[in-house]
Amino acid sequence: MNRLDADRTTSFALLEEDFFLLQAKAEDVLLSTVGLGQKMQEAFERHGDGMNSSVLWKALQQKN
């Protein structure tokens, strides 16, 4: 294998590693987003008559 092929192989391996790390982070963000949506839905169901969505959002942000 010449140097150019070795560089390409190394570069591809690093790119593949970055992809898997990015994929894991994206899954974490998605799960956090779904969790926040569920919390907002539960809060709205409990307190929706007396609050609007901006008040709920502000209350949830203070807990995090």
Side-chain angles (χ1 to χ4, degrees):
M1 180 184 310
N2 64 32
R3 179 166 169 73
L4 183 58
D5 289 338
D7 289 345
R8 285 182 182 158
T9 301
T10 301
S11 178
F12 180 76
L14 292 173
L15 181 61
E16 188 175 34
E17 182 179 335
D18 288 346
F19 172 77
F20 286 115
L21 291 173
L22 181 60
Q23 185 179 20
K25 291 291 183 185
E27 288 174 5
D28 289 345
V29 168
L30 180 59
L31 290 174
S32 293
T33 303
V34 169
L36 178 58
Q38 289 172 340
K39 286 180 186 178
M40 289 181 72
Q41 180 65 32
E42 291 168 3
F44 184 74
E45 288 170 359
R46 286 193 309 269
H47 307 289
D49 293 337
M51 293 182 162
N52 66 29
S53 61
S54 64
V55 173
L56 287 173
W57 177 252
K58 188 173 181 179
L60 287 170
Q61 290 295 5
Q62 291 172 354
K63 291 182 181 182
N64 291 335

